[in-house]
Amino acid sequence: QGSAKDCSSLDTDCRDGVCDPANGNCIPQFKSNGTMCTADALSCTVDQCLNGTCNHDEVAAGNCLVSGTCYTSGANNPMNECEACAPATSQTAFSDKSDGASCADDGVTCTVDQCIGGVCDHTTIQTGTCRIGGTCYNDGTDNPMNECEECNASASQSAFTNVERLEYNPEMISCAIRARFYVTDPGSPIIVQR
């Protein structure tokens, strides 16, 4: 009985060279799928044997592989803060954050800085405020150019609203007229819209 034939030249991470007893030739024998093999340069891929080949296509749980870069779950898209790695949704692309998630402050005190549809949006005005001509006003603040108008957020958040109720004051009659109001009774504290 001779020594076993050396078939090691066929050995790889995912194959063993063995001698075929039927003809004595060396043949590759695949290692079990899932056997660990040589790592690639990506920390988030699973390095495993599949059908005799070292494969790196599977992305490890809790990670995303987007455009060749690994991101852990919850990591923001560096180009869009309203997208993030969400492995349960996709491991190969960023996913939109939930509407209402906070995003970069636009520097305007009365806007809501929030993600809407995967984009940082600043069009929503905070409750109890107005934004008129690019300026923020708290509810009840007079128009600096017209004392007969004020920020009334419940009526409009983008324009001043005529003042509807004024304490009776003879000096403010002109204001009432400009706002198209009239006094129902000279002694009454209420001015009613005409």
Side-chain angles (χ1 to χ4, degrees):
Q1 182 177 357
S3 60
K5 189 171 183 179
D6 182 6
C7 295
S8 60
S9 61
L10 297 180
D11 290 351
T12 67
D13 280 0
C14 296
R15 302 181 186 188
D16 289 323
V18 298
C19 182
D20 184 348
N23 55 31
N25 293 330
C26 289
I27 58 173
Q29 184 177 68
F30 294 172
K31 293 183 179 180
S32 300
N33 286 345
T35 300
M36 300 303 293
C37 57
T38 302
D40 60 2
L42 297 171
S43 61
C44 62
T45 57
V46 179
D47 310 302
Q48 61 182 338
C49 296
L50 289 176
N51 302 321
T53 301
C54 189
N55 182 281
H56 313 283
D57 292 340
E58 182 179 343
V59 180
N63 291 269
C64 299
L65 178 60
V66 183
S67 300
T69 301
C70 293
Y71 299 90
T72 56
S73 181
N76 285 345
N77 176 354
M79 303 300 292
N80 181 356
E81 64 182 323
C82 287
E83 295 180 338
C85 166
T89 302
S90 173
Q91 287 188 288
T92 58
F94 289 110
S95 303
D96 290 351
K97 290 185 178 180
S98 299
D99 287 352
S102 62
C103 57
D105 190 338
D106 64 350
V108 179
T109 58
C110 60
T111 58
V112 179
D113 308 304
Q114 61 182 344
C115 296
I116 301 291
V119 176
C120 189
D121 180 87
H122 311 285
T123 58
T124 301
I125 307 303
Q126 293 184 22
T127 302
T129 64
C130 303
R131 187 182 186 193
I132 304 169
T135 301
C136 294
Y137 300 90
N138 290 326
D139 202 27
T141 302
D142 288 343
N143 178 352
M145 304 300 293
N146 181 354
E147 64 182 352
C148 295
E149 296 178 335
E150 67 178 6
C151 164
N152 182 343
S154 62
S156 172
Q157 290 186 290
S158 59
F160 288 111
T161 303
N162 288 338
V163 177
E164 295 183 2
R165 299 175 68 86
L166 298 171
E167 292 184 2
Y168 178 70
N169 183 334
E171 295 179 1
M172 298 185 69
I173 295 300
S174 62
C175 172
I177 293 171
R178 279 185 284 133
R180 300 182 63 190
F181 288 75
Y182 69 94
V183 181
T184 58
D185 183 333
S188 170
I190 305 301
I191 292 178
V192 182
Q193 187 170 12
R194 186 181 298 276

